[in-house]
């Protein structure tokens, strides 16, 4: 059977040469068995156009750097197989994030802001004693934390979210999932009120309108609907009784 | 940034309260819509019983209280749920472009949720005006309205059930008590049943109007 001829229509723009307007450029490539978009893009860059910009590190769905819009949907290029796609493939950089050039975006700044905003570290007043054995944690809790920690920060949930597309301050599924991770962690001593200050607003849990494009497009299949709902319920329970201090 | 205005107007609970207001006003309106359908459904038992039921509701002022309450909650819902609708040209453009690009069912459903919301504002107001200006509610008067404005009522029926069904679905999704695919299926079934009841009512009223 002859291999398919694939046509790639790829978004091109380099912010350093703003005089060249954003445009779509076409490339043709023969499909190979087991070809991923990672392989395809590298072939295009090696054989046809060395100026094409895109990101890869691990090519194994671990680092999260290769996310892009493939036929409109946020996907990891290294995990997306040509055989699951039609012969005509369009590629856009992820929206929301700052464009570096062509298919390459800067997710790092966004995720760093999110980490600072959610204070994504264990808040504890306990003195750390390196000689003592660690506190034990039951397996169920550990698994819950691990489930949330599987996020690879690729940005697909943010790019797929209509709310995040129009509201820059919205922390999205990635941010809410991050907070959920600390909420179940018994080592984090933050109170419900402290979480509420971060998440009990439209930037957090109450900004979500429930479109679930995050849940449907997460390449790691994180249970994002349940994480969002968990944080929302928790925030409503805290907020209901919350007495903010007077200024 | 803590500016003087932000410090003085700070209410950390405001976003949550508005969100809950959206939830409860929506629940009330869905409850009303479905009750309304069963009330109008009394027509199945005949014009006579329908009229007597209407007289009963009027006698205890239930219809007046009900209409006033519904209008109030409706306006509340319009404001709090309407805040979600992107109101700047750029945002509108992004949302439409985004919805077309990502081809995601739930995102499209929400886009239509905003459109049906606006349509209900217009059509619902016309309906309330038509009913109150043609007061009281009697089977023959309703039958007359149905004969003259059949397509108007068909449209109102479908968009309001769409909006109510998916609005409810969205709340279940957000609070996450159940798996969203099964909730979606259940609510779709309920909505279809209610629409069918509604179509039946329209049919009865049409017959009544034609038999005059
Ligand atoms: S290259 Fe690392 S996730 Fe695709």
């Amino acid at each position: 059977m002859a291999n398919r001829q694939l046509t790639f229509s790829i978004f091109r723009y380099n912010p350093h040469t703003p005089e060249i307007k954003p445009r779509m450029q076409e490339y043709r490539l023969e499909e190979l068995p087991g070809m991923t978009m990672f392989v395809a893009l590298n072939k295009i860059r090696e054989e046809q156009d060395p100026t094409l910009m895109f990101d890869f590190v691990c090519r194994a769905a671990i680092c999260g750097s290769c996310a892009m819009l493939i036929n409109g949907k946020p996907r990891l290029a290294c995990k997306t197989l040509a055989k699951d796609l039609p012969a005509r493939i369009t590629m856009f950089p992820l929206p929301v994030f700052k464009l570096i050039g062509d298919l390459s975006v800067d997710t790092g700044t966004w995720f760093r802001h999110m980490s600072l905003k959610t204070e994504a570290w264990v808040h504890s007043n306990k003195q750390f004693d390196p000689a003592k054995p660690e506190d034990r944690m039951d397996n169920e809790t550990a698994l819950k934390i691990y489930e949330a920690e599987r996020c690879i920060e690729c940005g697909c949930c943010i790019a797929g979210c209509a709310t995040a597309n129009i509201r820059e301050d919205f922390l999205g599924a990635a941010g809410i999932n991050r907070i959920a991770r600390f909420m179940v962690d018994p080592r984090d001593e933050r109170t419900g009120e402290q979480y509420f200050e971060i998440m009990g607003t439209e930037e957090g849990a109450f900004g979500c309108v429930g479109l679930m494009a995050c849940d449907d497009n997460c390449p790691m299949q994180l249970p994002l609907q349940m994480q969002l709902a968990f944080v929302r319920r928790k925030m409503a329970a805290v907020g209901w009784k919350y007495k903010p201090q007077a200024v | 940034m803590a500016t003087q205005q932000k410090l003085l107007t700070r209410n950390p609970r405001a976003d949550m309260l508005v969100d809950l207001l959206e939830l409860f006003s929506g629940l009330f309106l869905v409850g009303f819509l479905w009750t309304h359908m069963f009330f109008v459904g009394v027509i199945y038992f005949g014009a006579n019983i329908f009229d007597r039921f209407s007289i009963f509701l009027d006698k205890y002022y239930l219809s007046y209280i009900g209409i006033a309450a519904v209008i109030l909650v409706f306006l509340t819902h319009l404001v709090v749920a309407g805040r979600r609708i992107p109101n700047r040209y750029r945002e509108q453009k992004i949302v439409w472009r985004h919805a077309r690009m990502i081809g995601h069912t739930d995102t499209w459903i929400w886009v239509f949720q905003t459109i049906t919301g606006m349509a209900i504002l217009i059509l619902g107001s016309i309906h309330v005006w038509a009913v109150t200006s043609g007061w009281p509610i009697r089977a023959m008067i309703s039958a007359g309205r149905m004969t003259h404005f059949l397509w108007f009522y068909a449209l109102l029926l479908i968009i309001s059930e769409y909006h109510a069904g998916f609005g409810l679905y969205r709340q279940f999704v957000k609070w996450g008590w159940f798996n969203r695919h099964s909730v979606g299926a259940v609510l779709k079934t309920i909505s279809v049943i209610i629409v069918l009841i509604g179509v039946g009512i329209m049919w009865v009223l049409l017959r009544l109007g034609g038999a005059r």
Side-chain angles (χ1 to χ4, degrees):
Chain A
M1 204 175 72
N3 287 336
R4 280 196 303 172
Q5 281 297 320
L6 302 177
T7 307
F8 290 85
S9 177
I10 297 179
F11 174 87
R12 301 299 309 269
Y13 180 67
N14 185 343
H16 294 296
T17 52
E19 61 285 358
I20 308 172
K21 295 272 168 266
R23 66 198 185 282
M24 298 305 286
Q25 190 166 341
E26 293 208 343
Y27 301 93
R28 259 166 262 280
L29 204 64
E30 190 188 321
E31 183 178 356
L32 300 174
M35 186 187 240
T36 64
M37 292 302 103
F38 160 77
V39 175
L41 283 168
N42 276 290
K43 259 179 103 61
I44 293 174
R45 182 154 67 184
E46 269 162 35
E47 297 166 6
Q48 305 184 26
D49 188 345
T51 66
L52 186 61
M53 286 185 269
F54 53 86
D55 295 320
F56 286 96
V57 180
C58 73
R59 47 136 190 78
I62 297 165
C63 72
S65 54
C66 66
M68 55 185 70
L69 296 183
I70 300 174
N71 284 349
K73 309 216 185 271
R75 293 280 181 270
L76 294 179
C78 70
K79 206 188 176 187
T80 306
L81 292 164
K83 75 168 168 52
D84 298 331
L85 296 169
R88 201 182 159 76
I89 299 164
T90 61
M91 290 178 166
F92 274 92
L94 285 191
V96 183
F97 303 103
K98 187 177 163 219
L99 183 69
I100 295 173
D102 302 341
L103 299 174
S104 170
V105 293
D106 170 12
T107 50
T109 307
W110 194 97
F111 276 93
R112 184 173 162 72
H113 165 80
M114 182 274 277
S115 293
L116 290 175
K117 189 94 195 175
T118 55
E119 303 190 8
W121 53 87
V122 171
H123 291 52
S124 174
N125 286 322
K126 285 211 190 87
Q127 266 307 329
F128 177 63
D129 180 357
K132 251 181 44 191
E134 280 181 81
D135 286 339
R136 293 190 76 82
M137 182 188 288
D138 64 282
N139 201 35
E140 200 184 319
T141 313
L143 285 174
K144 268 194 204 143
I145 295 175
Y146 179 68
E147 182 75 348
E149 287 262 326
R150 282 173 44 233
C151 171
I152 58 172
E153 305 196 351
C154 60
C156 284
C157 58
I158 305 303
C161 172
T163 308
N165 270 265
I166 50 176
R167 297 233 340 254
E168 272 174 32
D169 55 357
F170 182 49
L171 292 167
I176 296 169
N177 176 62
R178 178 65 57 86
I179 273 286
R181 177 242 173 278
F182 287 96
M183 279 178 176
V184 292
D185 193 331
R187 292 166 300 181
D188 196 309
E189 289 166 359
R190 272 183 276 185
T191 61
E193 281 81 1
Q194 278 171 301
Y195 283 123
F196 191 85
E197 286 282 333
I198 308 165
M199 272 291 144
T201 61
E202 294 213 331
E203 289 169 32
F206 298 115
C208 169
V209 294
L211 302 180
M212 291 300 120
C214 53
D215 193 68
D216 288 331
N217 287 299
C218 174
M220 303 312 287
Q221 267 122 25
L222 290 177
L224 291 175
Q225 185 209 344
M226 289 306 156
Q227 295 288 60
L228 292 166
F230 164 70
V231 174
R232 172 181 281 262
R233 291 198 301 263
K234 187 115 182 163
M235 288 300 94
V238 175
W240 198 245
K241 289 178 286 194
Y242 187 24
K243 295 259 174 316
Q245 325 95 310
V247 185
Chain B
M1 219 178 14
T3 58
Q4 170 263 118
Q5 285 97 327
K6 280 194 185 158
L7 280 172
L8 291 179
T9 56
R10 205 178 84 101
N11 177 1
R13 305 207 305 162
D15 288 351
M16 177 192 77
L17 294 175
V18 172
D19 193 79
L20 291 177
L21 200 55
E22 180 185 343
L23 166 67
F24 288 118
S25 58
L27 285 181
F28 178 93
L29 290 171
V30 175
F32 160 71
L33 199 65
W34 291 357
T35 323
H36 173 282
M37 193 57 85
F38 288 111
F39 279 12
V40 184
V42 172
I43 196 72
Y44 280 122
F45 304 110
N48 226 327
I49 300 191
F50 181 90
D51 286 350
R52 267 196 281 156
F53 183 58
S54 169
I55 292 168
F56 162 79
L57 288 180
D58 282 355
K59 193 166 147 209
Y60 296 100
Y61 300 101
L62 293 176
S63 32
Y64 306 103
I65 299 169
I67 291 174
V70 167
I71 291 177
L72 211 66
V73 179
F74 185 94
L75 292 176
T76 310
H77 191 73
L78 172 70
V79 174
V80 292
R83 85 192 189 285
R84 302 282 200 192
I85 303 176
N87 54 10
R88 291 164 60 198
Y89 168 75
R90 213 169 79 102
E91 295 173 348
Q92 273 289 334
K93 236 187 128 161
I94 292 176
V95 165
W96 280 93
R97 210 180 109 67
H98 173 81
R100 268 201 300 267
M101 183 110 141
I102 191 168
H104 177 246
T105 321
D106 274 36
T107 302
W108 273 122
I109 289 174
W110 177 73
V111 170
F112 286 115
Q113 191 76 351
T114 64
I115 295 172
T116 49
M118 285 298 137
I120 292 169
L121 171 64
I122 299 167
L123 301 185
S125 311
I126 296 174
H127 170 60
V128 170
W129 172 78
V131 171
T132 46
S133 64
W135 202 256
I137 297 174
R138 293 292 176 268
M140 284 324 282
I141 302 175
S142 299
R145 269 198 294 270
M146 198 53 71
T147 6
H148 288 113
F149 303 106
L150 178 64
W151 293 112
F152 171 86
Y153 279 106
L155 191 63
L156 183 57
L157 172 67
I158 289 170
I159 60 169
S160 50
E161 290 309 332
Y162 175 99
H163 194 89
F166 281 117
L168 209 52
Y169 163 74
R170 194 77 61 199
Q171 291 297 344
F172 275 111
V173 166
K174 287 198 286 188
W175 294 91
W177 294 295
F178 306 102
N179 171 290
R180 70 191 166 104
H181 299 290
S182 31
V183 166
V186 171
L187 286 174
K188 263 183 228 154
T189 318
I190 295 178
S191 299
V192 169
I193 292 173
I194 303 245
V195 168
L196 288 179
I197 296 176
V199 171
I201 292 169
M202 289 169 65
W203 169 246
V204 175
L205 284 173
L206 270 185
R207 290 258 313 255
L208 208 60
R212 193 157 34 163

